[in-house]
Amino acid sequence: MIPVQGFEGQKVAVLGLGRSGLATAAALRAGGAEPLCWDDSPESRARAEEAGFACHDLTRADAFEGVAALITSPGIPHLYPAPNKIIARAMAEGIPVDNDIGLFFRSWATADWDAFDTMPRTICVTGSNGKSTTTALIHHILQETGRPTQMAGNIGRGVLDIEPAEDGEVVVLELSSYQTDLARALTPDIAVFTNLSPDHLDRHAGMGGYFAAKRRLFAEGGPDRAVIGVDEPEGIYLANQLATAREDDRVIRVSSTRKLGDYGWSVFARKGFLSEWRKGRQVASIDLRAVTGLPGAHNHQNACAAYAAVRALGLAPREIEAAFHSFSGLPHRSQTIAEIGGVRWVNDSKATNVDSAAKALDAFDNIRWIAGGLGKEGGVTALGQHLSKVRKAYFIGHSARDFALDLDGLDHEICETMEAAVAACAREAEAGDTVLLAPAAASFDQYPNFEKRGEHFTALVAALGG
């Protein structure tokens, strides 16, 4: 773990005792602080006490006497739609409020680094969509090219739960808006902004607050390099704010929709080809069409962002290209799980809304589409313009018949269960087809989460292969 610096001999309150909260308490203790833990859940408090931490009721009138800081878990609101009462009281009493991301950046560098030949680096990835895949892809490229690396944050391990830095190590962090919004220290070496679309708007009081939370990684952090997706107005604005001139190559612009050849440094994908341009000249190109772990334009944007981030570290295009081909993708995100008799089976159980399902439907040809679950407000009528490559749909779950009505005219079958849908696809699919699970719905009618839904689909497909 990363021992937290700056609180030796002091009491630090920890609010929220999930994965990140317990890791924070352990890291504070390792740094010589006295963590005072609290969670509204008796079960969470019991787990903390079993782990040897003292629970301290932060709702008491004297709760913050002698407390140096309050560290809160990302999921607890501190401002909108209404601040948590404990956080609001700490702020009113002048107690500094931070989160584990802020503690990480104040504690990551140590005196041991003086003996290193190459300083450790941090790459931080934020945005609305694709940040998990981009983070995992950067980490994979570094592993494949022999660089010491760890991955943490909103993906994998808590940031304080990773190991202290090695010589030349690169830590790759996925950061959500909840994490960037409150962190008191943000000092990435390379920061990546993938894109922006409406999400968590109640937590940030609208799109402006949501974008402002993402922007803090760049405005507060002052990265040496900024990789900015410019396919939305917010990305264009952010790149313009950070660059001192068109030729400023500290900002690497990224696009999956258009050519970007007139800037100091840009990386873009068109018609399945990634191109890198520097000072008005193309310097590298990669054919992404055969990279099975990164299908579709949305994944090509992820590939461009990851490519730009590791190029900023000095990696060569050819070694990046080789690593692309060994990337299998993240589970439940356009993940090819099998090819049986010329039929490709793809698990995109994470496609729980219309926007993400549309991206999946645009990414493949000759689709046999498994969709449905607990439908969301507004239905799926908007998917009508993304069905040109769907040969047949197989609807499951609570919303099966609603989907059929919304997409009237589409050849379909009401299967209701995943077992029935997979069996029907196995009977009817032909060589060259892609069976795509992209539900466009939540999983809670039949599964506890999208992961369990994807795992069930994967197990049923594996049984076909046996």
Side-chain angles (χ1 to χ4, degrees), residues 60-97:
R60 288 172 15 198
D62 61 348
F64 289 106
E65 287 186 10
V67 171
L70 171 65
I71 311 304
T72 180
S73 292
I76 303 174
H78 57 272
L79 190 56
Y80 302 114
N84 174 276
K85 292 181 179 179
I86 292 172
I87 296 176
R89 184 165 156 229
M91 289 183 173
E93 293 188 19
I95 305 297
V97 179

Side-chain angles (χ1 to χ4, degrees), residues 1-5 30 104 107-113 116 120 148-150 157 159-171:
M1 74 179 65
I2 306 297
V4 173
Q5 300 179 40
F104 169 83
S107 306
W108 173 233
T110 67
D112 295 339
W113 290 23
F116 290 168
T149 179
Q150 297 183 76
R157 305 163 70 180
V159 292
L160 295 172
D161 196 36
I162 67 174
E163 298 304 316
E166 295 182 22
D167 192 337
E169 186 164 35
V170 181
V171 168

Side-chain angles (χ1 to χ4, degrees), residues 394-413:
Y394 305 79
F395 294 134
I396 65 173
H398 180 270
S399 62
R401 286 166 176 77
D402 292 335
F403 277 29
L405 290 171
D406 282 351
L407 303 173
D408 184 40
L410 176 66
D411 187 16
H412 70 273
E413 181 176 334

Side-chain angles (χ1 to χ4, degrees), residues 329-411:
L330 288 180
H332 318 299
R333 297 166 173 85
S334 294
Q335 177 193 21
T336 297
I337 57 173
E339 185 166 327
I340 304 170
V343 176
R344 184 178 184 180
W345 295 78
V346 177
N347 169 21
D348 201 351
S349 183
K350 183 65 167 62
T352 58
N353 56 41
V354 166
D355 183 62
S356 52
K359 288 182 171 63
L361 290 168
D362 290 343
F364 301 97
D365 296 315
N366 303 320
I367 298 170
R368 295 188 180 272
W369 177 34
I370 300 176
L374 189 60
K376 297 188 175 182
E377 186 177 352
V380 293
T381 306
L383 286 174
Q385 58 187 316
H386 299 276
L387 302 177
S388 62
K389 296 186 286 186
V390 175
R391 298 190 64 183
K392 183 175 178 180
Y394 305 79
F395 294 134
I396 65 173
H398 180 270
S399 62
R401 286 166 176 77
D402 292 335
F403 277 29
L405 290 171
D406 282 351
L407 303 173
D408 184 40
L410 176 66
D411 187 16

